[in-house]
Amino acid sequence: MTDYRIGIDFGGTKIEIAALARADGHEIIRRRIANPGHYDGAVLAIRDLVAGVDAELGGQGTVGIGIPGSISPDTGVIKNANATWLNNQPFGRDLTASVGREVRVENDANCFALSEAVDGAGAGRSVVLGVIIGTGMGGGIIVDGKLLAGAHHIAGEWGHIPLPWPRIEEMPLPKCFCGNEGCLERYLSGSALAQDWQGPGHRSTAGIEAAAEAGDITAIGALDRYMDRLARACAMAINFLDPDVIVLGGGVSNVQSIYERVPLLMPRYVITPRCNTPIVRNVHGDSSGVRGAAWLWSHDEQPA
């Protein structure tokens, strides 16, 4: 059995690879290259990255990769990828053939959740809901250290359930790219918060808390609305999943007031006399993608 695991974070503009020690998860190697931006080039680039790590470490590590999409369980091809040239491609099969051993492919938000559940902000908890809130939204559910993928491999797609208990002033429900209306992503993504604060076309939430503290009325209003909406969304997740912890990632996780304000607002919506579910910031940050991908292989598994 090799003494390291390889994790790969497949992003829209970059591909990052890391090798983690099998015993304790400490990082041995990390590399990053530009994403070629086309299918055949990406497969070859990943093959070469893995070969380079193996050559340096003198072994054959297990390989996992997180992507901005998921594998259709009935066909084995990629679906819902924002790198659209990945869609309808047998990415997992092609990587396995190219690398020369099984490559496990998983949604990047699931990798984030797994990373934080194994040795991050959710370590030691039985049920972990991990949520990435950035330009878009994604989520993953980990139960007793195992990823809950679901029958259609879409478990944890928190961004595409409707905003619960909508207010009159939140109507009409905004259209979402998925074809539905009123999805959480349209209210809770970083882009949504930025636009509520500074208007259409804005995408960054940097400085919003400082602006609110300085008396910016629009920043104060945007944060007030955001906190209540996030509290409603978390309460809905608690009502049907009741996780031990909710771990936030992505750019919006840097809005520090979330961790104080949202837990105070949730009890209004949660169907239990006391709600003690912690809302916490991630530990591993940008490293969660590669770390979670590496953890797709359990401790006693080895590549075929």
Side-chain angles (χ1 to χ4, degrees), residues 12-95:
T13 60
K14 55 86 179 174
I15 303 173
E16 189 165 17
I17 189 170
L20 307 184
R22 183 175 291 274
D24 61 8
H26 80 267
E27 186 177 301
I28 305 169
I29 290 176
R30 182 184 292 259
R31 304 277 187 270
R32 176 182 288 194
I33 63 170
N35 191 320
H38 58 91
Y39 187 75
D40 290 340
V43 171
L44 293 176
I46 291 167
R47 179 201 65 184
D48 293 345
L49 282 170
V50 171
V53 168
D54 284 342
E56 187 167 342
L57 297 180
Q60 280 198 341
T62 54
V63 183
I65 181 169
I67 65 168
S70 60
I71 292 182
S72 177
D74 52 347
T75 64
V77 301
I78 302 300
K79 62 180 180 179
N80 303 329
N82 56 18
T84 55
W85 44 269
L86 271 181
N87 287 325
N88 300 312
Q89 296 283 2
F91 198 40
R93 294 197 295 267
D94 287 343
L95 287 178

Side-chain angles (χ1 to χ4, degrees), residues 4-285:
Y4 62 94
R5 318 167 198 241
I6 294 173
I8 301 169
D9 184 14
F10 188 87
T13 60
K14 55 86 179 174
I15 303 173
E16 189 165 17
I17 189 170
L20 307 184
R22 183 175 291 274
D24 61 8
H26 80 267
E27 186 177 301
I28 305 169
I29 290 176
R30 182 184 292 259
R31 304 277 187 270
R32 176 182 288 194
I33 63 170
N35 191 320
H38 58 91
Y39 187 75
D40 290 340
V43 171
L44 293 176
I46 291 167
R47 179 201 65 184
D48 293 345
L49 282 170
V50 171
V53 168
D54 284 342
E56 187 167 342
L57 297 180
Q60 280 198 341
T62 54
V63 183
I65 181 169
I67 65 168
S70 60
I71 292 182
S72 177
D74 52 347
T75 64
V77 301
I78 302 300
K79 62 180 180 179
N80 303 329
N82 56 18
T84 55
W85 44 269
L86 271 181
N87 287 325
N88 300 312
Q89 296 283 2
F91 198 40
R93 294 197 295 267
D94 287 343
L95 287 178
T96 292
S98 182
V99 171
R101 56 191 180 275
E102 182 185 354
V103 176
R104 294 185 177 173
V105 182
E106 191 50 74
N107 174 262
D108 51 7
N110 286 343
C111 289
F112 164 79
L114 184 58
S115 171
E116 293 297 327
V118 170
D119 62 356
R125 308 278 189 162
S126 178
V127 180
V128 177
L129 173 61
V131 180
I132 298 176
I133 309 179
T135 304
M137 286 182 66
I141 301 168
I142 310 300
V143 180
D144 294 332
K146 302 291 186 181
L147 174 66
L148 178 64
H152 301 94
H153 218 126
I154 57 171
E157 280 290 355
W158 201 47
H160 295 285
I161 54 179
L163 178 72
W165 304 287
R167 313 279 191 247
I168 293 176
E169 60 270 21
E170 291 167 335
M171 303 292 186
L173 300 175
K175 293 280 189 180
C176 182
F177 77 88
C178 72
N180 290 313
E181 299 176 343
C183 291
L184 282 179
E185 183 171 301
R186 294 304 311 274
Y187 292 100
L188 292 180
S189 66
S191 301
L193 176 56
Q195 290 174 29
D196 195 19
W197 172 30
Q198 294 185 309
H202 289 273
R203 299 171 66 86
S204 175
T205 60
I208 189 171
E209 288 182 295
E213 290 173 5
D216 183 334
I217 298 300
T218 58
I220 293 170
L223 282 174
D224 286 347
R225 288 184 290 274
Y226 190 88
M227 298 300 167
D228 187 69
R229 290 166 179 168
L230 183 56
R232 281 182 263 162
C234 290
M236 180 169 59
I238 293 167
N239 283 346
F240 74 78
L241 180 64
D242 202 11
D244 295 294
V245 64
I246 299 175
V247 183
L248 302 186
V252 174
S253 69
N254 297 320
V255 179
Q256 192 58 40
S257 54
I258 284 175
Y259 307 104
E260 178 182 356
R261 296 182 63 181
V262 170
L264 295 176
L265 294 167
M266 288 193 309
R268 174 181 175 185
Y269 307 106
V270 176
I271 188 167
T272 184
R274 295 184 61 192
C275 177
N276 301 313
T277 307
I279 312 296
V280 300
R281 186 178 177 183
N282 64 86
V283 167
H284 293 302

